[in-house]
Amino acid sequence: MRTQVGIIGAGPAGLLLSRLLALQGIDSVVLENRSREYVEARIRAGILEQHTVDTLTAAGLGDRLQREGLEHRGIYLQYPGTRHKLDFPELCGRSVWVYGQTEVTKDLIKAQLDGGPPLLFEVSDVRPEDVDTDAPRIRFVDADGTEQVLECDVIAGTDGFHGVSRPIVTGGGQGRTWERTYPYAWLGILADAAPATDELIYAWHPEGFALYSMRSPKVSRLYLQVDPTEKIEDWSDDRIWDNLATRFAHEGWEITTGTVTEKSILPMRSFVSAPMRRGRLFLAGDAAHIVPPTGAKGLNLAVADVTLLATALVRLLQEKQSDLVDSYSDRALARVWRCTHFSWFMTSMLHRSGDDFDAELQLSQLRRIVASESAARELAENYTGLPLDL
């Protein structure tokens, strides 16, 4: 097999990269070790920054997003006695969209299989080779059990934290990683319940953080801060709804309950790996970085990565110019660290931890954002999405 860009991983990063390259006349093959059904069922992020919506729309993937997605023009910050709306268009001229990562993935897969570049599911034993040369290759076993070799000009590792790509880039002392594990987790549920709010609610409460989100006019997505050692089987639906009602309590307002269709506990951590390139192997998305979901940055960072990478690869493969691929890692990481800081900021401000001294510091920061237009604008600019190239 022969292609220009071999892409390992069929998450949003890999699929969007393939799409962006195809629109510029660059061939690719996408390899995925899971089944199509598994990939399309993964529950992940749901907030799209303005640049992500613009990128998907420009790539011909915006029809269902515009039809079924929910545009959100702000968020509520809540702490006892106060629920304050931050108006994003008024503060920074942008908005965000609620449209689940599962739906983005379905749109990308449909486009890929409808006359797009090859997408191979259920491959195994994937091994990038000769990445330090101009002729790398990927060895793998296809779904029928046949050993294959994919010859290519470039390899993109979009295969996530547990994939095979990152260890090759950073192995042997050639790279560095940073990691922060937070002392709390999120218990998340999907519920057949109409949202009781027009915008997302980020609630600080003495008993722990809570987030009110949604997936559609009939489906709510809600989260509770819990200890990382908690077991999901210890949380009955009634216990979850009681805790949500307590943490979102606000005068004149009530939470809407319904049938819980999915629940899980998500650990909270930050992870950054550098560099994001070795030779002709480039990392993007979760293969290079993970952020806690509080700042809604994970999927959007992946889209930013592959947008930069696609432009760089087109310049390399069509114009034989290496300047953009040479600077890709530094440019991508500048944005990664900015978004990592914002995610840390939101996480540290809203999650109850430490003693009462820490709680008063958190409340002081929340009051500052509520009272100060400049502080509110800083949050809005980061939340809705900063420029791709900082």
Side-chain angles (χ1 to χ4, degrees):
M1 300 175 66
R2 168 74 193 168
T3 193
Q4 289 176 285
V5 181
I7 301 174
I8 305 173
L15 292 168
L16 180 58
L17 177 61
S18 180
R19 177 77 175 180
L20 295 176
L21 292 173
L23 292 173
Q24 297 295 318
I26 301 294
D27 297 329
S28 66
V29 173
V30 182
L31 306 176
E32 170 58 46
N33 65 349
R34 301 285 194 171
S35 68
R36 177 181 180 180
E37 293 72 22
Y38 181 92
V39 172
E40 290 186 339
R42 286 186 289 210
I43 301 295
R44 292 291 189 272
I47 303 295
L48 306 185
E49 294 176 358
Q50 187 70 61
H51 85 86
T52 297
V53 173
D54 294 344
T55 299
L56 293 171
T57 302
L61 300 162
D63 288 349
R64 196 160 71 94
L65 191 163
Q66 298 290 337
R67 188 172 63 251
E68 300 178 15
L70 305 174
E71 183 180 12
H72 282 262
R73 301 169 64 84
I75 61 172
Y76 290 105
L77 288 181
Q78 177 174 319
Y79 50 91
T82 299
R83 179 179 291 177
H84 177 79
K85 182 175 180 178
L86 300 184
D87 188 314
F88 290 161
E90 184 178 289
L91 289 166
C92 65
R94 297 191 295 273
S95 60
V96 297
W97 289 72
V98 171
Y99 189 66
Q101 181 171 320
T102 51
E103 306 310 315
V104 173
T105 302
K106 289 175 185 177
D107 294 343
L108 285 163
I109 288 176
K110 183 177 183 299
Q112 193 88 2
L113 297 179
D114 186 18
L119 167 56
L120 308 181
F121 290 104
E122 299 183 87
V123 306
S124 59
D125 197 21
V126 177
R127 290 166 291 159
E129 296 180 348
D130 294 336
V131 300
D132 294 317
T133 73
D134 292 341
R137 67 178 63 87
I138 306 172
R139 295 188 185 273
F140 66 97
V141 177
D142 66 22
D144 296 324
T146 303
E147 292 188 6
Q148 302 280 2
V149 178
L150 177 64
E151 305 283 350
C152 40
D153 299 311
V154 169
I155 298 173
T158 58
D159 48 345
F161 179 80
H162 297 290
V164 300
S165 301
R166 180 174 50 82
I168 294 175
V169 173
T170 61
Q174 300 184 72
R176 182 179 177 186
T177 60
W178 296 261
E179 189 164 9
R180 168 70 53 83
T181 301
Y182 294 93
Y184 27 75
W186 276 11
L187 189 158
I189 66 168
L190 272 176
D192 291 333
T197 176
D198 57 335
E199 306 288 9
L200 278 70
I201 304 172
Y202 287 77
W204 183 99
H205 190 273
E207 294 184 13
F209 169 71
L211 171 61
Y212 202 131
S213 183
M214 60 285 292
R215 286 294 181 268
S216 76
K218 297 181 179 180
V219 177
S220 294
R221 180 71 162 155
L222 303 108
Y223 299 93
L224 286 168
Q225 175 187 344
V226 298
D227 190 275
T229 61
E230 289 281 352
K231 305 297 182 185
I232 195 66
E233 54 268 22
D234 294 333
W235 285 81
S236 67
D237 292 358
D238 287 344
R239 183 186 179 191
I240 293 171
W241 287 119
D242 287 346
N243 273 266
L244 287 167
T246 296
R247 300 187 197 184
F248 286 122
H250 189 66
E251 185 177 358
W253 180 91
E254 290 185 0
I255 195 169
T256 304
T257 62
T259 302
V260 175
T261 58
E262 191 269 341
K263 57 184 175 182
S264 59
I265 291 180
L266 172 69
M268 304 281 282
R269 64 187 178 122
S270 293
F271 176 87
V272 180
S273 174
M276 293 173 60
R277 175 201 183 184
R278 174 181 170 182
R280 289 292 181 100
L281 172 58
F282 298 83
L283 302 180
D286 287 358
H289 43 75
I290 295 172
V291 291
T294 326
K297 291 288 162 259
L299 172 60
N300 296 293
L301 268 176
V303 172
D305 286 350
V306 299
T307 304
L308 291 174
L309 182 56
T311 302
L313 294 181
V314 169
R315 186 164 172 83
L316 174 69
L317 298 174
Q318 290 186 343
E319 303 175 25
K320 308 305 179 185
Q321 299 293 319
S322 65
D323 55 335
L324 293 184
V325 294
D326 290 341
S327 64
Y328 164 71
S329 180
D330 288 341
R331 290 184 293 124
L333 283 167
R335 197 174 193 279
V336 167
W337 277 114
R338 174 85 293 275
C339 292
T340 298
H341 179 273
F342 178 68
S343 299
W344 165 85
F345 165 75
M346 292 286 285
T347 302
S348 301
M349 176 176 64
L350 290 162
H351 289 75
R352 188 74 170 90
S353 63
D355 56 19
D356 290 342
F357 184 88
D358 296 293
E360 292 301 328
L361 292 177
Q362 292 174 315
L363 290 168
S364 175
Q365 180 63 62
L366 286 165
R367 294 188 191 104
R368 169 66 179 169
I369 294 170
V370 167
S372 166
E373 182 177 339
S374 59
R377 181 176 295 110
E378 173 69 9
L379 190 154
E381 288 178 348
N382 281 270
Y383 194 98
T384 57
L386 296 170
L388 291 187
D389 221 330
L390 298 180

